[in-house]
């Protein structure tokens, strides 16, 4: 009996302990939490009040860093402009008198899309334009396109010169594009204008009666043969133009040929059917360009984008070139013949080089490690101008490469670069026959 009572007492004790177990367990679980909260309050009370803003700033910087492309330029703030290095004088203004206004002569393999897309125009605009007029699918060599972009880099206006007698114009509307004007011109006249250089070609040409577009055409036709900035007083131009008349007014002018007499030497540029200019023997006057500034193509770490937003702030920070991720010390090449106009250090671009090619084209190469050229030096296509690096504002070793046409940046990966086109067979014979007649006219004065 006694043994049974003792057993019951022990069982009751264990039962009581079992009933208290959840309470004891909860207490052990809650206690650390209370201590943790109390410690956090103590930490906050003793911490500096400035610590929270610092942590937020660090978090924001970490966000930005995670959004940046590697081996490129940082996007956290807009780089200070280095475009003051672009040489802009009367000659440059003559080539590009209006911002976002472009013109182009159609050549072999061109389509409307690949001509305009190099200026970062949205494909939707091009599609809408072609829907407006399906004939734009069929561009022909030698035809001329002129277009204007608005401040949002949208296509605003396009002019298509289909032939000597027809010009078609397209205007942006709220619903897309529409053909706003179509001119039929049948009456053409020819005129030879003599320009004798006095102080500058630009002023002398204007005094002789040439329009801005006619001056532009002359400069472009001879840009690979001579430097217009180095002409001398007394140098003489004979310029043959053909222009159309509509209702008694001059509507359209086309340069047919130019002769320059400079220091006892004659330079000729004669327009062929394809819209390009050749010399009196039929040799192409265009300087050929390479596509990339390195021996081989490297990974693109950041693309051309004139509407590039900062990933955090949303602010538009245009990226006017292409970044190639290359190892430090990689040879950087001039993509075409030209003259060095910049070779120096910038806090943003690092060590960089700018080259003028003719009068329409300029290229820039940035974040270099070693400069191998000096200002005023002439370089040839493929010549080593620098070694790549990671200087200036940069997130890793790379070369930032830009191509500018008429003082405006274009996409280096899609830019319609100058190329040499040989005249052969019947085309060459027809050109030489035409050139003889034009040269006779130019030499009469």
């Amino acid at each position: 009996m006694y043994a049974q009572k003792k057993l019951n007492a022990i069982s009751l004790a264990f039962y009581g302990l079992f009933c208290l177990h959840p309470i004891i367990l909860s207490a052990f679980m809650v206690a650390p939490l209370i201590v943790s909260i109390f410690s956090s309050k103590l930490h906050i009370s003793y911490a500096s009040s400035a610590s929270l803003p610092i942590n937020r700033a660090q978090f924001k910087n970490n966000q930005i860093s995670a959004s940046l492309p590697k081996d490129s330029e940082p996007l956290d703030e807009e780089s200070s402009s280095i475009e003051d290095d672009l040489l802009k004088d009367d000659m440059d203004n003559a080539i590009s008198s209006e911002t976002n206004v472009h013109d182009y002569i159609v050549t072999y393999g061109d389509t409307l899309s690949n001509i305009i897309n190099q200026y970062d125009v949205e494909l939707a605009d091009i599609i809408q334009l072609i829907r407006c007029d399906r004939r734009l699918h069929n561009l022909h060599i030698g035809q001329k396109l002129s277009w204007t972009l608005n401040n949002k880099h949208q296509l605003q206006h396009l002019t298509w010169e289909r032939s000597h007698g027809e010009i078609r114009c397209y205007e942006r509307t709220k619903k897309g594009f529409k053909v706003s004007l179509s001119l039929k011109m049948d009456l053409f006249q020819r005129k030879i204008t003599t320009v004798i250089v006095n102080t500058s070609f630009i002023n002398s040409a204007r005094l002789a009666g040439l329009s801005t577009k006619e001056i532009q055409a002359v400069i472009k036709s001879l840009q690979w043969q001579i430097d217009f900035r180095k002409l001398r007083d007394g140098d003489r131009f004979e310029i043959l133009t053909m222009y159309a008349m509509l209702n008694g007014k001059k509507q359209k002018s086309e340069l047919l040929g130019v002769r320059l007499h400079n220091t006892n030497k004659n330079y000729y540029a004669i327009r062929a059917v394809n819209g390009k200019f050749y010399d009196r023997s039929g040799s192409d006057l265009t300087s050929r360009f390479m596509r990339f500034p390195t021996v081989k193509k490297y990974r693109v770490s950041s693309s051309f984008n004139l509407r590039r937003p900062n990933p955090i702030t949303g602010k538009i920070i245009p990226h006017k070139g292409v970044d190639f991720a290359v190892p430090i010390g990689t040879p950087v090449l001039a993509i075409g013949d030209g003259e060095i106009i910049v070779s120096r250090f910038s806090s943003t671009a690092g060590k960089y080089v700018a080259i003028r090619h003719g009068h329409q084209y300029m290229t820039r190469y940035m974040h270099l490690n070693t400069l191998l050229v000096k200002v005023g030096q002439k370089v040839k296509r493929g010549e080593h101008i620098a070694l790549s690096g990671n200087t200036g504002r940069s997130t890793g070793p790379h070369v930032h490469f830009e191509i500018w046409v008429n003082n405006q940046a274009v996409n280096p990966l899609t830019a319609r670069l100058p190329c040499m086109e040989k005249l052969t067979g019947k085309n060459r014979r027809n050109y030489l026959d035409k050139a003889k007649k034009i040269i006779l006219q130019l030499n009469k004065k």
Side-chain angles (χ1 to χ4, degrees):
M1 188 71 173
Y2 174 78
Q4 183 65 38
K5 287 182 179 180
K6 189 174 183 178
L7 181 61
N8 289 339
I10 293 173
S11 298
L12 185 61
F14 271 100
Y15 176 75
L17 181 63
F18 177 78
C19 291
L20 290 173
H21 177 266
I23 299 173
I24 296 170
L25 182 62
S26 298
F28 276 106
M29 292 178 65
V30 171
L33 181 61
I34 294 172
V35 172
S36 175
I37 294 173
F38 183 72
S39 299
S40 297
K41 289 182 177 180
L42 286 176
H43 174 74
I44 293 173
S45 65
Y46 283 101
S48 169
S49 60
S51 63
L52 285 180
I54 290 174
N55 289 335
R56 288 185 188 132
Q58 289 174 346
F59 176 73
K60 184 176 180 181
N61 288 336
N62 290 337
Q63 272 189 312
I64 294 174
S65 298
S67 305
L68 298 180
K70 294 181 179 179
D71 309 318
S72 185
E73 288 88 27
L75 300 177
D76 52 327
E77 62 182 58
E78 189 170 4
S79 299
S80 59
S81 175
I82 57 172
E83 288 169 18
D84 290 340
D85 287 330
L86 300 180
L87 300 184
K88 295 182 179 180
D89 54 20
D90 287 344
M91 193 64 60
D92 295 302
N93 293 332
I95 287 290
S96 182
S97 56
E98 297 179 78
T99 303
N100 288 331
V101 177
H102 310 276
D103 60 75
Y104 184 83
I105 302 295
V106 178
T107 187
Y108 178 78
D110 279 338
T111 65
L112 182 65
S113 178
N114 65 27
I115 293 171
I116 300 178
N117 189 52
Q118 62 182 322
Y119 291 90
D120 208 25
V121 175
E122 292 182 354
L123 184 60
D125 279 356
I126 300 173
I127 292 174
Q128 286 187 341
L129 186 61
I130 293 176
R131 284 176 180 170
C132 167
D133 188 352
R134 297 287 180 180
R135 283 172 286 194
L136 286 167
H137 271 305
N138 301 313
L139 300 180
H140 295 288
I141 294 173
Q143 292 178 338
K144 182 178 179 181
L145 292 172
S146 302
W147 65 94
T148 304
L149 306 179
N150 61 27
N151 293 333
K152 297 179 180 179
H153 286 277
Q154 296 173 319
L155 192 62
Q156 188 68 35
H157 177 86
L158 181 135
T159 300
W160 178 24
E161 297 183 14
R162 295 190 68 199
S163 66
H164 288 306
E166 182 178 358
I167 299 177
R168 299 180 68 81
C169 300
Y170 307 84
E171 197 73 34
R172 186 183 192 89
T173 67
K174 293 181 179 180
K175 297 181 179 180
F177 291 88
K178 70 175 183 179
V179 179
S180 59
L181 183 62
S182 181
L183 298 177
K184 290 287 185 180
M185 296 178 291
D186 301 315
L187 180 60
F188 290 88
Q189 298 181 13
R190 294 191 176 198
K191 179 181 180 181
I192 293 181
T193 302
T194 300
V195 175
I196 299 177
V197 177
N198 182 11
T199 306
S200 78
F201 169 75
I202 303 295
N203 292 334
S204 302
R206 286 174 179 158
L207 290 174
L210 293 183
S211 66
T212 298
K213 289 188 176 181
E214 289 170 337
I215 293 172
Q216 291 174 352
V218 172
I219 294 172
K220 292 175 183 178
S221 70
L222 288 170
Q223 64 180 310
W224 304 111
Q225 296 189 80
I226 62 168
D227 186 345
F228 277 75
R229 293 176 174 84
K230 297 180 181 179
L231 293 173
R232 299 178 180 179
D233 288 353
D235 288 345
R236 181 186 180 101
F237 288 82
E238 305 295 344
I239 301 164
L240 176 62
T241 55
M242 179 174 68
Y243 55 92
M245 299 297 294
L246 181 67
N247 299 326
K249 294 183 179 181
K250 194 175 180 180
Q251 296 291 326
K252 175 179 176 286
S253 179
E254 183 177 279
L255 179 65
L256 298 181
V258 181
R259 177 176 74 93
L260 164 63
H261 183 71
N262 169 265
T263 60
N264 299 319
K265 184 177 181 179
N266 287 322
Y267 297 87
Y268 291 90
I270 312 297
R271 185 187 183 94
V273 175
N274 63 7
K276 299 192 67 174
F277 287 88
Y278 297 79
D279 65 14
R280 61 190 305 168
S281 63
S283 298
D284 193 344
L285 299 177
T286 304
S287 177
R288 188 177 178 183
F289 279 29
M290 302 188 307
R291 175 61 65 180
F292 304 107
T294 51
V295 173
K296 67 176 183 178
K297 181 182 178 182
Y298 287 86
R299 174 177 64 87
V300 173
S301 56
S302 186
S303 300
F304 177 86
N305 186 355
L306 298 180
R307 297 183 295 272
R308 180 183 65 165
N310 181 292
I312 305 300
T313 66
K315 182 180 180 180
I316 298 300
I317 305 176
H319 192 238
K320 298 180 180 180
V322 170
D323 296 337
F324 295 103
V326 301
I328 292 177
T330 301
V332 179
L333 317 177
I335 69 163
D337 297 355
E339 179 182 346
I340 304 298
I341 58 174
V342 177
S343 180
R344 69 177 185 88
F345 176 81
S346 161
S347 60
T348 54
K351 293 181 180 179
Y352 80 105
V353 171
I355 306 176
R356 190 205 306 275
H357 310 269
H359 288 283
Q360 285 180 274
Y361 299 88
M362 183 192 69
T363 54
R364 298 204 291 189
Y365 315 75
M366 302 181 185
H367 307 294
L368 308 171
N369 189 61
T370 305
L371 303 177
L372 303 177
V373 291
K374 296 180 180 180
V375 173
Q377 181 178 335
K378 303 285 187 179
V379 293
K380 293 291 185 181
R381 179 171 63 96
E383 185 173 337
H384 290 200
I385 59 173
L387 299 179
S388 67
N390 188 27
T391 58
R393 297 186 69 247
S394 172
T395 61
H398 75 287
V399 173
H400 175 92
F401 173 54
E402 297 178 357
I403 297 179
W404 291 66
V405 181
N406 297 338
N407 285 326
Q408 297 183 44
V410 300
N411 189 343
L413 299 183
T414 60
R416 309 305 293 168
L417 299 177
C419 60
M420 299 181 69
E421 293 182 29
K422 293 183 178 180
L423 295 173
T424 59
K426 184 178 180 180
N427 289 335
R428 180 177 174 79
R429 291 193 296 271
N430 290 341
Y431 170 80
L432 292 176
D433 289 341
K434 175 184 177 181
K436 287 180 181 178
K437 297 176 182 177
I438 290 178
I439 290 171
L440 284 174
Q441 295 179 66
L442 294 173
N443 288 336
K444 281 183 178 179
K445 289 200 174 185

